[in-house]
């Protein structure tokens, strides 16, 4: 469960307000889609959830634990996939996954089983022994995703995870996201692909100029819009100005 | 219109982050703090500057008594050109071949020689700044002490500008040739490292061996000629003599001739290098970043073998640091191998020289000044072990990958401890190399060597911890080329200056204590205690600082 309470974050001495008094709760077992135009504050919000940025005000609780007061406990239950799959290029795929397994304390038997499984799912088994430097963008994205699913955390936060994935890998990822939530986990992800959000998410939130301008299930959003629009239509309407 | 001008402008702006600096001057939140840091650094440097000035004054006085004061200029020139050659070689390789903009530049309608010329200019501008602290004080010291005429000050400008051209152009020539060969092979990284070391060692050896002069001839020259010492020292590398003599002879026809010779040879080698680059540069650069990989599915057994046994986070981070450092040629060369290179060059230099230039050390060892010998050895070992920039670029090297360190569930203190262990291991390599090197060139007894080893091992603690502290205070996480994280990182310079200041203060203290007649063993124990205490305090401070600084470091 993720609870975002009155969180604000600004840059450049307050001149740019990236996130403006945002309140939001994402329940356990829920896939939450976070939408918004470029520069709306999505990545800033995500970075605050995973502890990469500190909010100017407000608090973020992961399963009831404040991520500013007890960051280690929060990190132990969260994994994150950034919008750019920047991972240590000089390490081999297995070495990076080992590193993640070590710091999240995944025991060896589990590690072998999960790495084998995910390597097959993402069709990357033949590349794991090679340096990440030799990977294509899509393969890097796959290794970052594998690292995020490896510890089987309670909360997974993904920033545009489908970018660069081939259709089969994208399909497998969506299945994995559903599986994670079926097991009671929480999944928070941002995307620009409306169809994906529409089909995959239990609820969506739309952020515009740092403020949450719409939030709910698709029927709830449609009811509020007063029309039977698609998510794209709703998105265009609430982010028009 | 030639594309060179805009290209040079762009390269200079990118490499020196001019746009970012200007933005920070205009919008930065911590202008006052930056100013305070600058003042603190200047204050911290004072003991070192004082020691340097005193050293220059002493050398000038000694040379003056034998009428060879112009040799001081030569010492400055040689120091600058040696620094440029040894460190410039690595710099040229990474700037020419490993900058992130290379692939974009190759795709533009630019000639290879234009790309090389623009990158060479960036490197040389950097070298002007790099050699400044070592060379300018010597020139200024000579000018003031010798009451040099106006022409000396005027000529100083062209001489300083020409100083790094020949060694850097030679480095670039060798680098272009080496990379052409490297690009034909699969083990590119390994070949770059081995090839670089072999070429530097070979060049150094050749310079030490050529133009040698017998002792009798050298003494005769010293006694009969005004700048005989300049000729003796500089005949191993003539451009040093040309630069030095053009300054000492001023506007006289001979002086102008020497400057003309320096300029002509510099231009010839530079144009030769640029011309050669037209043929060879792209052949060495294109496809260099391509990594050949095996595409074979790992069997369950192979997978099981490659999965680690579940190490603790400290060990995992240490392992990550070691692997990334050792597998990135720029880091390995500038971080680890520099500490080995200096003692290795020392051995090559001494072994290939007819007379032992470390006569002072040898005579100290022979005349029973064991304490002095131990302290000098320990200082040398600490310099080789700790001046590499491994600690002081530890956070900066993470660059765009720093997000991983921020999200993993490992405490800041433990992450810093792993980084400390890594930089300390690198120091250990340098210290061992330095002590072995010393053993080869000077007769050092076992106990003296052990005492020097202990002092250097303890002394390396505060220097490594301070290096980490300095880098953590302002990590340079935005870089486009890994060399910017270690070679163009001011944190490395600050840490080196802080380390040098620390050593100078300890040196002064040792000198003072020994002059008061205290026994050598007492002085040694005092320094050991000071090093241990400083280490403890800096370590404690670093841990507290990590708790505060890590969370506020934005990626």
């Amino acid at each position: 469960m993720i609870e975002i309470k009155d969180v604000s974050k600004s840059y450049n001495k307050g001149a740019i307000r990236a996130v403006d008094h945002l309140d939001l709760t994402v329940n356990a077992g829920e896939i939450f889609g976070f939408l918004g135009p470029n520069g709306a504050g999505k990545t800033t919000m995500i970075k605050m959830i995973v502890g990469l940025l500190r909010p100017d005000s407000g608090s973020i609780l992961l399963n009831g634990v404040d991520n500013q007061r007890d960051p280690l406990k929060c990190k132990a239950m969260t994994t994150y996939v950034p919008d750019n799959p920047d991972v240590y290029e000089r390490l081999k795929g297995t070495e990076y996954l080992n590193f993640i397994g070590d710091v999240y304390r995944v025991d060896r038997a589990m590690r072998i089983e999960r790495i084998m499984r995910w390597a097959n799912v993402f069709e990357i088994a033949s590349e794991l022994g090679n340096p990440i430097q030799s990977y294509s963008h899509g393969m890097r994205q796959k290794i970052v995703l594998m690292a995020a699913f490896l510890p089987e955390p309670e909360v997974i936060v993904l920033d545009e995870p489908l970018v660069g994935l081939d259709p089969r890998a994208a399909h497998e990822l969506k299945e994995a996201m559903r599986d994670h939530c079926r097991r009671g986990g929480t999944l928070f992800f941002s995307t620009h692909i409306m169809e994906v959000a529409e089909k995959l998410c239990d609820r969506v939130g739309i952020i515009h100029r740092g403020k949450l301008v719409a939030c709910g299930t698709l029927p709830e959003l449609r009811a509020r819009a007063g029309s039977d629009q698609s998510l794209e239509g709703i998105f265009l309407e609430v982010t028009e100005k | 219109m030639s594309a060179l001008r805009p290209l040079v402008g762009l390269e200079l702006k990118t490499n020196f982050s001019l746009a970012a600096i200007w933005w920070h001057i205009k919008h930065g939140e911590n202008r006052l703090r930056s100013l305070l840091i600058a003042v603190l650094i200047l204050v911290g440097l004072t003991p070192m500057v004082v020691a340097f000035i005193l050293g220059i004054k002493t050398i000038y006085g000694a040379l003056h008594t034998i009428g060879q004061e112009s040799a001081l200029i030569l010492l400055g020139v040689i120091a600058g050109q040696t620094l440029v050659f040894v460190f410039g070689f690595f710099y040229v390789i990474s700037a020419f071949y490993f900058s992130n903009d290379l692939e974009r530049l190759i795709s533009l309608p630019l000639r290879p020689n234009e790309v090389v010329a623009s990158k060479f200019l960036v490197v040389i501008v950097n070298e002007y700044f790099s050699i400044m602290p070592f060379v300018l004080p010597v020139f200024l010291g000579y000018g003031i002490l010798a009451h040099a005429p106006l022409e000396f000050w005027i000529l100083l400008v062209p001489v300083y500008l020409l100083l790094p051209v020949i060694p850097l152009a030679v480095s670039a020539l060798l680098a272009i040739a080496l990379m052409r060969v490297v690009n034909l092979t699969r083990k590119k990284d390994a070949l770059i490292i081995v090839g670089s070391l072999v070429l530097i060692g070979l060049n150094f050896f050749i310079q030490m061996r050529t133009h040698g002069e017998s002792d009798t001839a050298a003494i005769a020259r010293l006694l009969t000629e005004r700048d005989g010492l300049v000729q003796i020292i500089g005949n191993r590398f003539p451009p040093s003599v040309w630069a030095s003599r053009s300054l000492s002879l001023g506007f006289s026809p001979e002086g102008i001739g020497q400057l003309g010779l320096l300029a002509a040879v510099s231009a010839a080698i530079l144009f030769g290098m640029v011309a050669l680059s037209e043929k060879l540069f792209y052949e060495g650069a294109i496809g260099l970043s391509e990594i050949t990989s095996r595409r074979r599915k790992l069997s369950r057994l192979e997978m099981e073998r490659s999965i680690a046994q579940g190490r603790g986070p400290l060990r995992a981070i240490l392992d990550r640091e070691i692997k990334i450092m050792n597998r990135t040629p720029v880091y390995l060369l500038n971080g680890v191998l520099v500490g080995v290179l200096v003692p290795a060059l020392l051995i090559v230099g001494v072994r290939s020289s007819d007379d032992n230039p470390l006569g002072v050390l040898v005579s100290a060892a022979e005349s029973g000044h064991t304490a002095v010998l131990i302290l000098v050895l320990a200082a040398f070992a600490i310099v080789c072990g700790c001046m590499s920039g491994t600690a002081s670029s530890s956070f900066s090297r993470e660059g765009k990958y720093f997000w991983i360190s921020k999200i993993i569930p490992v405490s800041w203190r433990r992450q810093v401890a792993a980084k400390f262990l890594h930089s300390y291991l690198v120091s250990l390599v340098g210290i061992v190399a330095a002590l072995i090197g010393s053993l080869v060139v000077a007769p050092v007894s076992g106990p003296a060597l052990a005492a020097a080893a202990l002092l250097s091992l303890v002394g390396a603690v505060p220097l490594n911890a301070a290096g980490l502290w300095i880098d953590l205070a302002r990590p340079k996480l935005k870089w486009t080329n890994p060399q910017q994280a270690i070679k163009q990182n001011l944190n490395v310079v600050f840490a080196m200056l802080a380390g040098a200041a620390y050593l100078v203060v300890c040196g002064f203290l040792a000198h003072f204590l020994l002059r008061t007649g205290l026994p050598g063993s007492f002085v040694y124990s005092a320094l050991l205690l000071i090093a241990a205490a400083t280490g403890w305090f800096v370590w404690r401070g670093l841990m507290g600082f990590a708790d505060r600084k890590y969370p506020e470091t934005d990626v």
Side-chain angles (χ1 to χ4, degrees):
Chain A
M1 185 178 183
I2 303 170
E3 292 168 272
I4 299 165
K5 294 179 177 175
D6 196 26
V7 166
S8 292
K9 175 77 182 174
S10 57
Y11 297 113
N12 199 10
K13 297 177 191 168
I16 301 164
R17 214 164 175 87
V19 175
D20 195 359
H21 298 285
L22 199 140
D23 277 291
L24 176 66
T25 301
V26 181
N27 300 308
E30 187 173 61
I31 299 183
F32 188 87
F34 200 45
L35 317 176
N38 295 329
K42 295 188 298 295
T43 297
T44 299
M45 189 60 245
I46 283 176
K47 285 183 173 177
M48 287 191 284
I49 295 172
V50 298
L52 282 172
L53 286 175
R54 287 203 293 192
D56 295 339
S57 62
S59 61
I60 299 163
L61 279 71
L62 303 177
N63 287 345
V65 183
D66 190 318
N67 76 349
Q68 292 299 307
R69 292 205 180 136
D70 198 346
L72 273 187
K73 203 169 174 185
C74 285
K75 285 173 187 182
M77 64 171 95
T78 314
T79 56
Y80 162 65
V81 171
D83 52 352
N84 252 323
D86 291 323
V87 277
Y88 309 120
E89 291 185 346
R90 297 280 171 175
L91 296 189
K92 293 174 185 171
T94 45
E95 289 171 343
Y96 178 62
L97 295 172
N98 265 326
F99 172 74
I100 294 295
D102 287 335
V103 295
Y104 281 91
R105 297 181 185 277
V106 180
D107 78 54
R108 189 166 181 264
M110 288 284 202
R111 209 182 288 188
I112 292 170
E113 190 272 312
R114 289 176 194 169
I115 290 176
M116 295 284 274
R117 174 157 49 91
W118 285 108
N120 288 329
V121 166
F122 285 131
E123 297 175 321
I124 198 176
S126 58
E127 297 292 342
L128 287 182
N130 292 325
I132 294 172
Q133 198 179 12
S134 69
Y135 290 13
S136 66
H137 182 91
M139 285 197 281
R140 287 175 195 215
Q141 183 74 358
K142 288 175 183 176
I143 201 90
V144 182
L145 285 164
M146 280 177 75
F149 283 98
L150 179 65
E152 293 199 349
E154 291 162 66
V155 179
I156 299 181
V157 180
L158 312 166
D159 197 355
E160 300 190 29
L162 296 160
V163 175
L165 290 184
D166 56 65
R168 184 183 298 280
H171 170 78
E172 295 294 350
L173 173 62
K174 285 181 263 182
E175 285 301 312
M177 288 160 80
R178 285 195 190 98
D179 270 355
H180 172 77
C181 291
R182 257 180 244 131
R183 289 197 304 270
T186 309
L187 201 138
F188 186 103
F189 84 107
S190 74
T191 183
H192 283 298
I193 312 169
M194 295 298 137
E195 292 78 14
V196 171
E198 206 167 328
K199 284 180 188 159
L200 190 65
C201 299
D202 299 305
R203 284 196 307 142
V204 294
I206 301 173
I207 184 173
H208 184 45
R209 292 179 186 154
K211 287 182 185 293
L212 194 67
V213 290
C215 184
T217 61
L218 192 56
E220 283 170 356
L221 293 180
R222 280 181 182 143
R224 250 173 257 155
S227 65
D228 197 20
Q229 289 187 82
S230 65
L231 183 59
E232 187 179 52
I234 296 167
F235 178 89
L236 292 174
E237 198 177 295
V238 297
T239 59
E240 199 172 19
K241 286 179 185 174
Chain B
M1 193 185 100
S2 165
L4 190 59
R5 221 174 126 182
L7 191 59
V8 169
L10 184 76
E11 287 284 315
L12 287 172
K13 275 182 194 163
T14 313
N15 275 277
F16 297 101
S17 306
L18 296 181
I21 291 169
W22 180 239
W23 191 92
H24 275 288
I25 289 169
K26 278 179 78 178
H27 306 284
E29 290 175 15
N30 298 314
R31 267 177 291 184
L32 188 66
R33 201 175 72 174
S34 304
L35 193 71
L36 275 173
I37 290 171
V39 171
L40 274 174
I41 289 166
L42 286 176
V43 171
L45 285 177
T46 309
M48 209 175 70
V49 173
V50 169
F52 201 24
I53 291 169
L54 287 176
I56 291 168
K57 210 173 162 187
T58 310
I59 295 170
Y60 180 85
L63 290 170
H64 187 64
T65 54
I66 55 169
Q68 302 290 337
E69 58 270 27
S70 58
L72 183 63
I73 306 173
L74 182 70
L75 288 178
V77 172
I78 288 178
Q81 290 186 322
T82 308
L83 280 172
V84 170
F85 185 78
V86 174
F87 298 104
F89 188 79
F90 302 146
Y91 191 7
V92 162
I93 284 189
S94 45
F96 280 23
Y97 293 95
F98 293 100
S99 55
N100 283 4
D101 64 353
L102 189 62
E103 290 191 355
R104 272 177 294 247
L105 291 177
I106 288 175
S107 69
L108 293 174
L110 296 167
R111 297 180 69 85
N113 60 23
E114 288 172 331
V115 176
V116 165
S118 68
K119 290 199 171 288
F120 185 86
L121 272 167
V122 170
V123 175
I124 208 162
V125 170
N126 240 300
E127 291 300 335
Y128 289 134
F129 290 111
S130 303
I131 62 171
M132 201 178 270
F134 304 97
V135 176
L136 268 193
V138 179
F139 287 168
L140 298 181
Y142 173 84
I144 294 165
L145 292 167
H147 303 290
L150 182 65
E151 53 204 74
F152 170 86
W153 300 104
I154 295 170
L155 285 168
L156 197 55
V157 178
V159 167
Y160 187 76
L161 291 177
L162 287 170
L163 203 65
V165 175
I166 293 176
L168 204 60
V170 171
S171 293
L173 266 171
L174 293 174
I176 289 169
L178 172 71
M179 296 306 283
R180 175 69 195 91
V181 179
V182 162
N183 209 9
L184 296 172
T185 61
R186 280 188 73 218
K187 299 266 178 198
K188 292 171 185 172
D189 288 351
L191 202 65
I192 289 168
I193 292 160
V194 174
S196 306
L197 294 177
V198 168
L199 283 176
I200 288 173
L202 200 66
N203 191 286
F204 194 80
F205 181 77
I206 290 167
Q207 279 188 29
M208 294 303 289
R209 290 305 298 176
T210 50
H211 307 293
E213 195 169 14
S214 73
D215 284 355
T216 327
I219 291 165
R221 198 183 263 254
L222 184 67
L223 293 174
T224 53
E225 293 179 25
R226 189 181 150 220
D227 53 0
L229 193 56
V230 169
Q231 298 283 2
I232 293 165
I233 303 171
N235 60 13
R236 295 181 195 278
F237 188 55
S240 304
V241 178
W242 304 333
S244 166
R245 294 191 83 198
S246 75
L247 279 177
S248 60
L249 298 172
F251 286 160
S252 68
E254 205 188 340
I256 296 294
Q258 295 284 309
L259 181 63
L261 194 59
L262 179 68
V265 174
S266 300
I269 296 178
L270 181 60
F271 283 116
M273 184 274 292
V274 172
L276 185 78
S277 72
E278 180 69 19
K279 279 189 181 304
L280 294 183
F281 179 62
Y282 276 2
E283 287 184 41
I286 292 173
L288 191 69
S289 60
E290 298 302 317
I291 303 292
T292 46
S293 57
R294 291 178 306 146
R295 292 216 165 159
R296 191 172 60 79
K297 190 172 174 175
L298 297 180
S299 68
R300 185 168 182 99
L301 192 70
E302 284 174 309
M303 186 70 87
E304 281 180 6
R305 247 186 254 139
S306 67
I307 301 299
Q309 193 55 261
R311 306 155 299 182
L314 184 87
R315 173 84 197 283
I317 294 171
L318 173 64
D319 196 42
R320 175 198 71 181
E321 294 290 314
I322 292 172
K323 281 185 173 135
I324 293 175
M325 183 102 188
N326 294 354
R327 290 176 188 175
T328 313
V330 179
Y331 297 159
L332 185 66
L333 289 168
N334 286 290
V336 184
L337 296 179
V338 160
V340 181
L341 195 66
V342 174
L345 291 181
L346 179 80
I347 295 172
V348 174
V350 171
R351 288 282 158 180
S352 59
S353 180
D354 298 330
D355 45 14
N356 192 341
L358 292 171
V360 181
L361 199 64
V362 176
S363 60
E366 285 168 349
S367 62
H369 289 105
T370 320
V372 175
L373 178 72
I374 291 170
L375 298 181
V376 170
L377 277 183
F380 178 59
I382 289 174
V383 168
C384 291
C386 302
M387 294 299 181
S388 69
T390 304
S392 49
S393 66
S394 193
F395 301 95
S396 299
R397 288 197 309 270
E398 290 198 48
K400 61 185 175 183
Y401 312 122
F402 192 66
W403 69 269
I404 301 171
S405 294
K406 281 203 80 174
I407 63 148
I408 55 175
V410 181
S411 72
W412 312 129
R413 287 178 179 234
R414 195 170 286 193
Q415 294 198 38
V416 173
K419 282 176 176 289
F420 174 82
L421 274 177
H422 172 239
S423 55
Y424 195 77
L425 282 176
V426 174
S427 291
L428 204 61
V429 173
I431 287 170
V432 170
L435 293 176
I436 291 173
S438 308
L439 203 57
V440 173
V441 299
V444 186
S445 70
L449 199 70
L454 177 65
L455 185 56
S456 51
L457 288 174
V458 176
V461 174
L463 291 191
N464 275 301
L468 286 167
W469 195 333
I470 288 168
D471 195 39
L472 182 58
R474 291 168 66 96
K476 185 177 182 174
L477 299 172
K478 285 182 183 165
W479 42 260
T480 52
N481 165 357
Q483 78 151 16
Q484 290 171 346
I486 191 162
K487 186 78 175 49
Q488 285 171 270
N489 188 345
L490 272 178
N491 296 342
V492 175
V493 180
F494 291 154
M496 277 184 188
L497 292 174
Y502 176 74
L503 287 178
V504 167
V505 170
C506 288
F508 269 126
L509 190 69
H511 178 69
F512 172 76
L513 292 175
L514 285 170
R515 278 189 69 175
T516 56
L518 285 166
S521 57
F522 176 84
V523 177
Y524 173 83
S525 306
L527 287 177
L528 192 64
L529 204 66
I530 289 169
T534 321
W536 188 79
F537 277 114
V538 181
W539 173 261
R540 287 287 301 262
L542 172 65
M543 288 294 148
F545 185 63
D547 284 338
R548 289 196 306 279
K549 186 66 189 176
Y550 247 100
E552 70 181 41
T553 304
D554 286 350
V555 183

